[in-house]
Amino acid sequence: MATKPVLSPSEPTKPTSPAAPTTAALTPEERQSVLRTLRSPKLLKTEVLAGLVVALALIPEALAFSVIAGVDPRIGLFSAFTMAITISFLGGRPAMISAATGAVALVIAPLVASHGVQYMIAAVLLAGVFQVLLALLGVAKLLRFIPRQVMVGFVNALAILIFIAQVPELLGVPWLVYPLTALGLLIVFGLPRLTTAVPASLVAIVVITAITVAASVTVPTVGDKGELPDSLPSLLLPDVPFSLATLEVIFPYALAVAFVGLLESLMTAKLVDDVTDTRSNKTREAWGQGAANLVTGFFGGMGGCAMIGQTMINVKGSGARTRISTFLAGVFLLLLVVVLGDVVALIPMAALVAVMIFVAVTSFDWHSIRPSTLKMMPKSETAVMLATVAVTVWTNNLASGVGVGVLVAMVLFARRVAHFVTVDRTLTGNDAEATAVYTVNGELFFASSNDLYSQFEYVLDPPNVVIDLSGSHVWDASTVAALDAVTEKYRRRGTEVRITGLNDASVQIRQRMAGKLP
């Protein structure tokens, strides 16, 4: 599914002159990539056109998310602008797009309804602070605990949600919308087979807009989504009491925005890493998202995070690979809505629907649902993927889906590993010298050690018992408590028990807790 990168930061580059001040915050590899792109008309054209296509795709999304959040459409548009510009400098994943998102809109909508826009702005600012703190605490490292099948489910659910979001644009509309959408799909899927000189998404938007304007047909347009702004945003502080009562109101919403935003952004960064075969700085991306939300809040915005759909348009659909495309997406967005608002308002929604359907179809991991794949994959792995998809689509919340997917993966993994523990009994010696040796193999933790107590022949065993744990590892207090229970039951019967073969880590945990657990 991944397209071949136009330029990878990891590719060898020729020596370059010292970086310009605008690239001072970049790593050496990123700086070289940006400078090489600026010096190459072909690469620069790819970034510029990608930024333009993304800007066009951001407009209806930002307007729609404003409606979801219950705020003025201009707030959503300005949020998209400030998020994209800020993250283009501070983010840890080049070519990734951040703007106002539906997940954040859903979180803050109740706050706007109950307390108004000013409290929303305060919550966005606090969420930015939380994200910076979480980044400093190393929250990005937790991404390693997200299994591959959760990631596959995340991508598939995202594709389904993107497609579902386009359905309302195709219901109860003039019949001309359908042939226009079909034409857009024909262009975005067919043009890349002929040429990749220009993004097929941009061609579809321009062609369909030209047709509707020339023919003077009436179909839903971007302008129907809401009023476009005609001035620049200004700095402000939220008009709320700076008190503990205000903090109590905004705290839960700010924390939810921080977690949802970080999860979606880090998952998107990982997805772009896979598509481009490059690495990103997840910790930098985490605090960059926090900084972007702070900037957005000070401009009165609704906050946001990484946008997977627009990111895939930028990376897969248009072939962008550097921060230039992200920066230009923000710049073009502002110019389009403020300077060329009347022109942008004429773009038919059919064109943007075709682009987003293309993104949904190409983003879905079709390999994951092939009969051959499902037959090969363990059922537990398939269950994790399906659980992630089902919860995400049902709740319309990517964070909930990922959380449930990780939880299901943990439970199924613990259940599977628990069955790998074996206890073998052998008898040595005769009469008073007889000894029962129990050899335990496998990882001992709460799921596998709970039934360890029942694996011993307390009545039949001779006076001497040896429990050999050289093939095991003690991981938690549940195992220590289980071993205590076994030795205590033998002690009551007058049987001497020796536990041998513990590795150093197991010895330490047992010495620390043995006999101290009820």
Side-chain angles (χ1 to χ4, degrees):
M1 294 296 295
T3 56
K4 185 178 180 179
V6 174
L7 179 63
S8 169
S10 61
E11 291 175 3
T13 56
K14 297 178 181 179
T16 60
S17 57
T22 55
T23 64
L26 308 183
T27 64
E29 293 82 4
E30 292 170 349
R31 188 179 301 121
Q32 290 176 346
S33 179
V34 168
L35 291 177
R36 169 177 281 194
T37 301
L38 291 173
R39 292 168 180 168
S40 169
K42 181 179 179 180
L43 296 178
L44 184 59
K45 182 194 70 173
T46 298
E47 300 292 317
V48 172
L49 294 179
L52 179 58
V53 173
V54 170
L56 292 171
L58 281 172
I59 294 173
E61 294 276 306
L63 293 173
F65 297 150
S66 299
V67 174
I68 293 174
V71 299
D72 190 303
R74 289 173 291 186
I75 291 179
L77 289 168
F78 286 147
S79 298
F81 160 69
T82 53
M83 288 290 298
I85 292 294
T86 306
I87 208 66
S88 68
F89 288 97
L90 302 181
R93 173 64 258 178
M96 193 165 79
I97 306 297
S98 291
T101 59
V104 171
L106 289 170
V107 171
I108 64 174
L111 178 61
V112 175
S114 61
H115 290 80
V117 173
Q118 295 300 318
Y119 276 81
M120 176 204 73
I121 296 173
V124 169
L125 290 171
L126 184 58
V129 173
F130 284 157
Q131 287 178 327
V132 172
L133 292 177
L134 288 170
L136 296 177
L137 292 174
V139 68
K141 296 179 181 178
L142 297 178
L143 197 64
R144 72 182 66 176
F145 296 105
I146 298 180
R148 178 187 179 277
Q149 287 305 97
V150 173
M151 187 67 186
V152 172
F154 171 80
V155 173
N156 289 346
L158 166 72
I160 294 172
L161 288 177
I162 291 175
F163 182 83
I164 292 175
Q166 311 314 310
V167 174
E169 304 295 341
L170 299 174
L171 299 177
V173 295
W175 69 271
L176 282 172
V177 169
Y178 301 111
L180 290 174
T181 303
L183 175 60
L185 291 172
L186 180 63
I187 294 173
V188 294
F189 280 102
L191 184 61
R193 298 176 181 273
L194 302 176
T195 178
T196 56
V198 291
S201 302
L202 180 59
V203 174
I205 292 171
V206 172
V207 169
I208 295 177
T209 303
I211 290 174
T212 56
V213 171
S216 299
V217 297
T218 301
V219 292
T221 63
V222 171
D224 297 330
K225 288 292 183 179
E227 181 183 357
L228 299 178
D230 55 7
S231 61
L232 297 174
S234 57
L235 284 169
L236 55 83
L237 287 174
D239 184 16
V240 297
F242 289 87
S243 63
L244 182 60
T246 299
L247 182 61
E248 291 176 350
V249 171
I250 66 173
F251 183 87
Y253 295 98
L255 194 61
V257 169
F259 275 110
V260 169
L262 282 181
L263 181 58
E264 290 205 26
S265 298
L266 294 177
M267 292 287 282
T268 304
K270 188 175 186 303
L271 177 60
V272 178
D273 290 352
D274 294 339
V275 170
T276 61
D277 294 324
T278 59
R279 294 182 179 180
S280 60
N281 188 328
K282 304 300 190 301
T283 298
R284 175 174 173 175
E285 183 61 38
W287 67 255
Q289 290 290 333
N293 274 308
L294 284 169
V295 171
T296 300
F298 282 124
F299 277 100
M302 59 183 280
C305 60
M307 299 189 74
I308 307 180
Q310 277 67 18
T311 298
M312 288 298 99
I313 290 176
N314 194 45
V315 175
K316 294 187 72 173
S318 303
R321 290 295 182 270
T322 74
R323 299 173 184 271
I324 297 174
S325 58
T326 307
F327 174 77
L328 290 178
V331 172
F332 284 142
L333 174 63
L334 187 65
L335 293 176
L336 288 170
V337 299
V338 175
V339 180
L340 300 175
D342 293 338
V343 176
V344 172
L346 298 175
I347 297 176
M349 288 302 301
L352 298 176
V353 167
V355 172
M356 296 308 293
I357 290 177
F358 169 78
V359 171
V361 171
T362 56
S363 296
F364 194 90
D365 187 354
W366 297 101
H367 179 270
S368 66
I369 61 172
R370 290 177 182 172
S372 58
T373 303
L374 295 176
K375 183 178 180 180
M376 170 195 67
M377 195 70 64
K379 292 181 179 179
S380 59
E381 300 283 299
T382 302
V384 170
M385 187 265 286
L386 293 177
T388 304
V389 172
V391 174
T392 301
V393 174
W394 180 47
T395 63
N396 199 32
N397 189 320
L398 293 167
S400 298
V402 171
V404 171
V406 171
L407 180 61
V408 171
M410 291 171 59
V411 171
L412 293 179
F413 174 77
R415 181 175 178 271
R416 187 165 64 249
V417 173
H419 291 305
F420 291 157
V421 174
T422 60
V423 180
D424 297 319
R425 177 179 180 266
T426 57
L427 290 175
T428 62
N430 296 308
D431 300 329
E433 299 297 326
T435 301
V437 179
Y438 287 89
T439 304
V440 182
N441 291 291
E443 303 299 316
L444 296 176
F445 63 111
F446 62 90
S448 60
S449 62
N450 281 339
D451 60 352
L452 186 66
Y453 180 83
S454 62
Q455 301 296 310
F456 296 83
E457 302 289 350
Y458 301 99
V459 176
L460 300 178
D461 281 339
N464 300 301
V465 170
V466 174
I467 302 176
D468 182 8
L469 297 179
S470 57
S472 305
H473 185 101
V474 176
W475 285 103
D476 58 8
S478 295
T479 303
V480 175
L483 292 174
D484 285 350
V486 171
T487 55
E488 175 62 18
K489 184 154 186 171
Y490 274 122
R491 185 189 65 79
R492 291 176 181 176
R493 302 186 64 84
T495 301
E496 181 182 350
V497 179
R498 290 187 299 115
I499 296 178
T500 64
L502 288 170
N503 57 37
D504 292 341
S506 298
V507 168
Q508 291 179 10
I509 192 173
R510 186 164 185 268
Q511 286 180 345
R512 188 166 63 249
M513 290 186 288
K516 300 177 183 178
L517 300 172

